DNA sequence: CTCGAACCTG
DNA sequence: CAGGTTCGAG
């Protein structure tokens, strides 16, 4: 692995260097590292409460990201998803894990019964158990919704990344240049938007000019990036033929707002409801799922000790809970409208700012805003077809947009500062992943990105995470199979009698593996899934299906559809770290 | 138990 | 090529 050649001290210039077992290391390739190191960093900023003590490695300029073909593709996907969502049908019956499900749709083939070596594959085998699996017609709505949610969260990450970049620039600045540049920036800000007046009376009113400028610039940054994405969304959501489209009715909005968060309805339309109560409400799982520290420490991450715990009960605190007022305030913020929202919200401090209570942005060492300038430059070259700032009536903004804004809210809620982004997976992350396994056996990479917000994803990181889950599954299935065979030997006849309870051996084995220390209450849902897995294995073995090399695949297919939502708490910033010490 | 390598699949 | 599974080594 390339990363291994790099001195950790270089990768983590600050005290953040994390000693990782080699397996956790994931490549920051030399090129990227070099790029990061080349990042100008002239003056050491005066110690500041929220000053960041090390350059973070960011491989890509956020803007570049948007131009990245890969992201374009993603964007295109989001667009098509949204297009699907704009259809008049009613979203219900959210499927469990559409992605995973689809992924496993295909396993029809088997391998040549060759000892040891997996070589050619022989088609077919009438998948016995798999037949139970529901027809594929899961609503594309649900799927789209879920994917959109993931995409949005990814967006959130990008936003944060942007901030990070921004801070970097600030850090790297020469104090002398500072004032001059800030004035320059302010000038251009003024040229671009006439937002300043409002802001001057805003919450930054009492602050130094430079700080206010920074504030403006930052907001603008966010607005620019956001508007780009929103643009594509809007274009899809408002197809030409719907020109005069009135705003969505309140009901619709509400409905979507709830669904917009894409929480799946409690009861799943999972086909495999049959045995036991597998279709049982997730609600059962979520509240029960508690890690000692996970639930309450979401906001306790302290940045340089400045900020002390604002204990947020992150569980059950969902994005969808942001009120319209909050949304509008967020939008105002993003757009740089100051607090006098066009949506008529009052001048309350934004929930975001309140909750964050983090002085970080304002305490930054002030510097030039190269990033900003460069973005402005690019913007001139590629003017945005539709800037948010140009939207005449914010009320027309679709709920989709609001959901995007709610991400900003989430960011605040999570109290995740860009500096907390990690470039490598830590043991804490591993632990977290294991716990997540109790909810999802087949997470998509997008979902992973959503839940490891403190990780800067690279291809390597992503595949590492995926590999982790693959390993988890491997272990899981091996254990279950073992117990299934054992049960068979013990003369069990009825598969249905095989239930995994908290005191069964199988559970103990699994718990030991994924939840060492037992500091997490395993969701009941997992027990159901395990029970079903056990039964499936049992039946399959009893039926002699294990003669077929790919006899497990139908089982995998079934299990892959039983993923649950992962509690929001897992997104919490300090989560991984907290877990480590719990 | 874990992980890397090999191998499969869409 | 990305995401999965299987296998064997330590």
């Amino acid at each position: 692995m390339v990363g291994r050649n790099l001195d950790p001290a270089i990768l983590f210039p600050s005290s953040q260097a994390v000693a990782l077992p080699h397996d956790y290391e994931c490549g920051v390739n030399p090129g990227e590292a070099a790029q990061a190191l080349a990042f100008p960093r002239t003056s050491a900023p005066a110690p500041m409460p929220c000053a960041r003590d090390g350059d973070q490695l960011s491989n890509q300029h956020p803007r570049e990201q948007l131009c990245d073909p890969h992201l374009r593709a993603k964007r295109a996907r989001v667009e098509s998803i949204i297009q699907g969502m704009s259809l008049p049908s009613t979203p219900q019956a959210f499927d469990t894990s559409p992605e995973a499900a689809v992924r496993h749709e295909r396993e029809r083939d088997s391998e040549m019964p060759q000892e040891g070596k997996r070589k050619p594959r022989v088609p077919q085998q009438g998948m016995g158990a798999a037949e139970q699996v529901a027809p594929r017609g899961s609503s594309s709505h649900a799927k789209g919704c879920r994917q959109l949610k993931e995409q949005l969260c990814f967006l959130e990450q990008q936003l944060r990344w942007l901030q990070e970049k921004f801070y970097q620039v600030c850090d790297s600045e020469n104090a002398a240049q500072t004032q001059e540049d800030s004035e320059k920036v302010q000038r251009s800000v003024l040229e671009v938007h006439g937002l300043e007046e409002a802001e001057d009376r805003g919450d930054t009113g009492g602050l130094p000019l430079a700080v206010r400028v920074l504030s403006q610039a930052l907001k603008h940054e966010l607005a620019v990036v956001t508007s780009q994405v929103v643009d594509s969304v809007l274009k899809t959501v408002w197809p030409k033929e719907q020109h005069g489209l009135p705003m969505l009715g309140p009901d619709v909005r509400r409905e979507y707002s709830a669904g917009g968060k894409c929480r799946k309805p409690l009861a799943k339309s999972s086909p495999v409801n049959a045995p036991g109560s597998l279709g049982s409400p997730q609600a059962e799982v979520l509240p029960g799922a508690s890690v000692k520290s996970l639930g309450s420490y979401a906001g306790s991450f302290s940045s340089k000790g400045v900020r002390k715990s604002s204990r947020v009960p992150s569980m059950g605190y969902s994005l969808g809970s942001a009120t319209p007022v909050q949304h509008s305030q967020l939008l105002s913020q993003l757009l740089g409208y100051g607090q006098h929202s066009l949506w008529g919200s009052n001048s309350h401090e934004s929930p975001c700012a309140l909750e964050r209570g983090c002085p970080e942005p304002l305490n930054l060492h002030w510097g030039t805003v190269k990033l900003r300038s460069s973005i402005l430059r690019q913007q001139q070259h590629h003017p945005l077809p539709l800037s948010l700032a140009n939207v005449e009536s914010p009320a027309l903004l679709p709920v989709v947009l609001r959901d995007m804004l709610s991400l900003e809210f989430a960011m605040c809620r999570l109290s995740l500062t860009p500096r907390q982004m990690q470039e490598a997976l830590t043991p804490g992350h591993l632990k977290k992943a294991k716990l997540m396994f109790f909810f999802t056996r087949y997470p998509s990479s997008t979902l992973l990105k959503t839940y490891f917000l403190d990780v800067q994803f690279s291809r390597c990181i992503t595949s590492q995470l995926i590999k982790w889950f693959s390993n988890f599954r491997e272990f899981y299935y091996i254990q279950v199979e073992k117990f299934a065979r054992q049960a068979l030997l013990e003369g069990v006849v009825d598969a249905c009698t095989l239930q995994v309870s908290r005191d069964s051996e199988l559970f103990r084995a699994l718990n030991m593996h994924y939840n060492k220390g037992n500091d997490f209450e395993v969701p009941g849902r997992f027990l159901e899934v395990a029970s079903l897995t056990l039964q499936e294995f049992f039946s399959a073995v009893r039926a002699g299906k294990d003669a077929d090399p790919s006899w497990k695949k139908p089982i995998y297919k079934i299990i892959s559809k039983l993923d649950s939502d992962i509690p929001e708490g897992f997104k919490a910033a300090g989560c991984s770290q907290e877990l480590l010490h719990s």
Side-chain angles (χ1 to χ4, degrees), chain A residues 7 110 140 158 163 165-166 172 223 232 342 360-361 394 443-444 453 457 540 542 552 559 569 572:
Chain A
D7 180 352
S110 54
S140 60
Q158 287 184 7
Q163 282 181 308
K165 268 306 211 179
F166 189 77
S172 68
S232 69
L342 295 180
E360 178 161 14
S444 69
L453 292 170
F457 276 81
R542 188 178 49 186
K552 293 177 184 173
I559 303 308

Side-chain angles (χ1 to χ4, degrees), chain A residues 100-168:
Chain A
V102 169
R103 226 180 288 129
H104 287 258
E105 281 295 338
R106 29 143 158 139
E107 314 169 337
R108 278 274 161 76
D109 33 18
S110 54
E111 295 172 24
M112 205 71 128
Q114 269 179 8
E115 50 266 271
K117 276 321 163 198
R118 40 211 143 105
K119 258 305 196 67
R121 298 161 294 118
V122 166
Q124 261 357 319
Q125 112 188 343
M127 26 190 21
E131 237 66 77
Q132 311 170 10
V133 173
R136 179 203 200 95
S138 69
S139 78
S140 60
H141 254 64
K143 185 182 197 169
C145 191
R146 188 188 180 97
Q147 286 183 341
L148 178 61
K149 166 181 156 190
E150 291 170 357
Q151 290 293 337
L152 288 172
C153 289
F154 187 54
L155 223 183
E156 169 187 321
Q157 194 187 6
Q158 287 184 7
L159 278 173
R160 197 165 38 245
W161 203 345
L162 177 63
Q163 282 181 308
E164 163 63 16
K165 268 306 211 179
F166 189 77
Y167 295 156
Q168 270 190 358

Side-chain angles (χ1 to χ4, degrees), chain A residues 55-191:
Chain A
D55 288 329
Q56 301 287 316
L57 294 178
S58 0
N59 310 327
Q60 272 180 300
H61 190 293
R63 174 64 57 135
E64 288 166 11
Q65 274 198 324
L66 288 173
C67 299
D68 182 316
H70 180 58
L71 281 173
R72 277 176 186 281
K74 281 193 170 181
R75 187 164 138 174
R77 214 169 102 235
V78 177
E79 287 180 7
S80 71
I81 288 166
I82 292 173
Q83 197 141 34
M85 297 198 336
S86 64
L87 294 175
S89 74
T90 31
Q92 11 94 299
F94 286 82
D95 199 6
T96 312
S97 173
E99 295 209 1
V102 169
R103 226 180 288 129
H104 287 258
E105 281 295 338
R106 29 143 158 139
E107 314 169 337
R108 278 274 161 76
D109 33 18
S110 54
E111 295 172 24
M112 205 71 128
Q114 269 179 8
E115 50 266 271
K117 276 321 163 198
R118 40 211 143 105
K119 258 305 196 67
R121 298 161 294 118
V122 166
Q124 261 357 319
Q125 112 188 343
M127 26 190 21
E131 237 66 77
Q132 311 170 10
V133 173
R136 179 203 200 95
S138 69
S139 78
S140 60
H141 254 64
K143 185 182 197 169
C145 191
R146 188 188 180 97
Q147 286 183 341
L148 178 61
K149 166 181 156 190
E150 291 170 357
Q151 290 293 337
L152 288 172
C153 289
F154 187 54
L155 223 183
E156 169 187 321
Q157 194 187 6
Q158 287 184 7
L159 278 173
R160 197 165 38 245
W161 203 345
L162 177 63
Q163 282 181 308
E164 163 63 16
K165 268 306 211 179
F166 189 77
Y167 295 156
Q168 270 190 358
V169 172
C170 293
D171 271 355
S172 68
E173 261 320 311
N174 178 322
Q177 267 191 311
T178 293
Q179 190 56 32
E180 175 190 326
D181 285 339
S182 67
E183 284 168 5
K184 214 182 295 174
V185 166
Q186 190 190 33
R187 235 175 290 126
S188 57
V189 167
L190 283 166
E191 285 161 13

Side-chain angles (χ1 to χ4, degrees), chain A residues 5 36 40 169 251 277 335 404 414 429 449 467 469 473 476 480 482:
Chain A
N5 302 327
V169 172
D251 300 339
S277 52
L335 296 182
M404 296 180 78
L414 296 176
H429 290 125
K449 284 172 185 160
K467 175 64 178 173
F469 276 86
R473 262 169 302 188
Y476 171 76
V480 176
K482 196 168 83 187

